[in-house]
Amino acid sequence: MVGLYVLESGDTMKAIIIGAGIGGLSTAIALRKIGMEVKVFESKHALGQAQIDQDI
């Protein structure tokens, strides 16, 4: 689950992404490619932690 908040500040579009799993990081990359300023927040100690914790 990714939370995405977009803010407009003058000429710059800014995005805040809550969750640094696969979805959050993919979204951050896509938004940066179109020129947005992006900040990603994660509550766990590592990025993509949910995928690391899963047994395969």
Side-chain angles (χ1 to χ4, degrees):
M1 176 73 64
V2 174
L4 172 62
Y5 302 91
V6 177
L7 309 166
E8 195 170 344
S9 176
D11 293 337
T12 306
M13 293 290 288
K14 299 178 180 181
I16 299 170
I17 299 173
I18 310 298
I22 294 294
L25 295 176
S26 297
T27 301
I29 291 167
L31 293 176
R32 283 294 300 145
K33 283 184 177 181
I34 63 169
M36 293 182 73
E37 183 179 319
V38 179
K39 292 196 182 243
V40 179
F41 294 91
E42 173 59 52
S43 64
K44 298 190 189 270
H45 297 308
L47 302 179
Q49 190 67 38
Q51 286 75 29
I52 294 170
D53 289 344
Q54 298 295 322
D55 290 333
I56 299 177

